[in-house]
Amino acid sequence: MNWFFEPLGDFFLWSFKGLTWLGEHYFNVVLIVIGAAMTIWWMAQMARHPKEH
């Protein structure tokens, strides 16, 4: 199974290298912005498809 997990681990290490320039506190801000964007998208989807009774 190393053929699967080693490249997967390398991918995750590569993908998080871009976050190091954000510093300690800015990463939290990025997570908050992503969460807010997903919440707004979800609310827009709920408004577009109202529940029928």
Side-chain angles (χ1 to χ4, degrees):
M1 283 302 279
N2 285 345
W3 61 269
F4 177 71
F5 288 109
E6 286 182 13
L8 184 64
D10 292 339
F11 169 74
F12 282 118
L13 287 174
W14 170 80
S15 66
F16 284 106
K17 279 185 184 178
L19 296 175
T20 58
W21 64 271
L22 291 174
E24 236 177 79
H25 304 289
Y26 292 108
F27 182 66
N28 292 336
V29 173
V30 169
L31 291 178
I32 291 168
V33 168
I34 290 171
M38 292 174 69
T39 301
I40 291 169
W41 176 83
W42 175 72
M43 291 171 63
Q45 294 297 316
M46 295 297 286
R48 252 192 275 172
H49 304 286
K51 183 177 178 181
E52 295 180 15
H53 292 127

